Amino acid sequence: CMSCFVWMMKKRRSGKMNEIKFRAWLLHEQEMCSVALLDIRDRKAFIVRKDGCEGWRIFSEINLQQYTGEYERNSRQMCQGDVVQYSGSNGWDTFEIIFENGCFITRCITSPGNYNNEPLSLNSLDFKDHWEIIGNRYQNPELLKGYNDENK
């Protein structure tokens, strides 16, 4: 079908090619899965679960999260919704990766005052050596507790 797209296409950013990938949080099952296909017209995704089960899910049953094109210090792909720690000159700070105004940014959870309460672009910081994924907003909501309590 014309509206089905295999997200193995490449996008050009910073002179390198990155895969456009998604993962999905299944709302009912509370499980993270990979996404093999998206059908934009019919608003559904073909998901593959860890147990090998696969099938179509409509967008209202899942939360899609896009891969940022970046890797953290343990070579894991960073995705929208991940909670990451950054080791900088002020020690360790915790951030959530979000997609806002057409780009991926990080929003500080632990000490937003260190960053003037401003989100930081993923491109503005050194990744490989300083970032580490510690969870994500769906499987580890407790990591966002302080931030969510202050920003309701």
Side-chain angles (χ1 to χ4, degrees):
C1 101
M2 291 302 291
S3 64
C4 294
F5 298 98
V6 178
W7 289 103
M8 290 297 141
M9 300 179 336
K10 303 283 184 177
K11 66 178 180 176
R12 188 172 297 281
R13 192 175 107 204
S14 304
K16 64 181 181 179
M17 299 296 280
N18 293 315
E19 288 182 295
I20 298 174
K21 293 181 176 180
F22 291 88
R23 68 182 183 195
W25 177 250
L26 303 181
L27 296 172
H28 181 69
E29 294 89 340
Q30 301 287 288
E31 180 183 347
M32 195 68 73
C33 301
S34 20
V35 174
L37 301 166
L38 289 178
D39 182 336
I40 304 301
R41 186 189 65 200
D42 291 336
R43 302 184 49 77
K44 60 185 180 179
F46 190 82
I47 59 106
V48 180
R49 295 173 55 171
K50 289 184 171 117
D51 64 6
C53 292
E54 53 188 37
W56 288 100
R57 294 295 181 98
I58 58 174
F59 286 176
S60 63
E61 297 175 340
I62 61 177
N63 280 328
L64 283 174
Q65 301 142 66
Q66 188 174 354
Y67 165 54
T68 65
E70 302 292 346
Y71 289 85
E72 50 98 81
R73 65 193 280 157
N74 299 312
S75 301
R76 292 171 52 198
Q77 296 177 350
M78 296 171 70
C79 293
Q80 177 183 359
D82 280 342
V83 176
V84 296
Q85 283 189 329
Y86 177 75
S87 63
S89 58
N90 296 330
W92 286 94
D93 282 314
T94 304
F95 295 81
E96 180 185 12
I97 298 173
I98 60 174
F99 189 78
E100 186 174 276
N101 297 324
C103 65
F104 292 101
I105 60 173
T106 59
R107 183 144 305 133
C108 189
I109 297 165
T110 50
S111 4
N114 288 349
Y115 303 92
N116 297 321
N117 295 315
E118 292 294 321
L120 299 174
S121 166
L122 286 178
N123 294 327
S124 67
L125 301 171
D126 179 18
F127 283 92
K128 272 276 194 216
D129 298 330
H130 298 284
W131 289 98
E132 183 172 357
I133 297 171
I134 59 171
N136 66 65
R137 75 169 10 262
Y138 302 103
Q139 293 170 304
N140 313 99
E142 70 280 2
L143 296 174
L144 300 175
K145 184 162 178 33
Y147 177 77
N148 285 338
D149 290 346
E150 293 172 13
N151 295 288
K152 286 188 176 182

